[in-house]
Amino acid sequence: MGNPKIIFKKLVYKYFKVITEFKEIKFDANDKAAAVNSLLNVENGLNQVSNELERKQKIFKFCGLAKAAAVFEDIIQMTGIIVNISKKSANEDMLLDKEALSKMKQLSLSVQELESELAELIK
């Protein structure tokens, strides 16, 4: 099967590849379709990573990566919420209310903290 820690790190790498794609999306009010399509691609990528993490959960659990897997799962869920808020914004003329912006900022900060924790866990 392979080294579980390496498999886990590859999964984390896939996640960061998806997140890089998300960060590069241009939210142009004149081309909402492109933004929405890109967001759907990001959402699909996150779902793939999440599904793979779920399938390999037992392996990670027995190899001392249970905490890292749990933190990673939280990261994926929070990032999914950010993507959904962005999708809603893209569908509604690129406008977000203050509450949605605040929630996105909070989630982004939480994700950054968890990413740091994850990095420590899988050194």
Side-chain angles (χ1 to χ4, degrees):
M1 150 118 205
N3 183 334
K5 197 163 189 172
I6 291 172
I7 292 167
F8 190 81
K9 285 182 179 182
K10 284 182 180 179
L11 203 53
V12 172
Y13 173 76
K14 275 186 188 179
Y15 163 81
F16 279 109
K17 209 167 148 186
V18 170
I19 291 310
T20 300
E21 183 181 335
F22 176 63
K23 289 178 181 175
E24 292 174 353
I25 294 174
K26 303 287 184 248
F27 290 92
D28 182 357
N30 296 325
D31 195 1
K32 288 196 298 188
V36 171
N37 193 37
S38 295
L39 285 165
L40 288 173
N41 288 338
V42 168
E43 188 175 52
N44 287 335
L46 277 177
N47 286 337
Q48 288 174 358
V49 171
S50 179
N51 291 340
E52 197 170 331
L53 177 63
E54 194 175 311
R55 279 194 307 274
K56 296 182 177 164
Q57 200 69 272
K58 286 182 184 172
I59 296 165
F60 297 143
K61 184 178 178 181
F62 292 115
C63 298
L65 292 168
K67 182 162 174 56
V71 168
F72 190 38
E73 191 172 349
D74 288 346
I75 290 169
I76 293 169
Q77 287 175 352
M78 288 182 197
T79 304
I81 294 169
I82 292 169
V83 170
N84 283 332
I85 293 170
S86 299
K87 254 184 11 191
K88 184 176 184 217
S89 167
N91 283 321
E92 296 176 1
D93 296 327
M94 309 296 176
L95 299 173
L96 284 176
D97 57 32
K98 286 182 182 179
E99 187 179 320
L101 281 172
S102 174
K103 186 172 185 173
M104 278 183 77
K105 285 179 185 175
Q106 277 181 301
L107 286 169
S108 294
L109 290 173
S110 296
V111 166
Q112 288 174 358
E113 288 173 16
L114 289 172
E115 286 172 351
S116 296
E117 184 179 341
L118 182 63
E120 289 296 313
L121 289 169
I122 62 172
K123 271 187 191 176

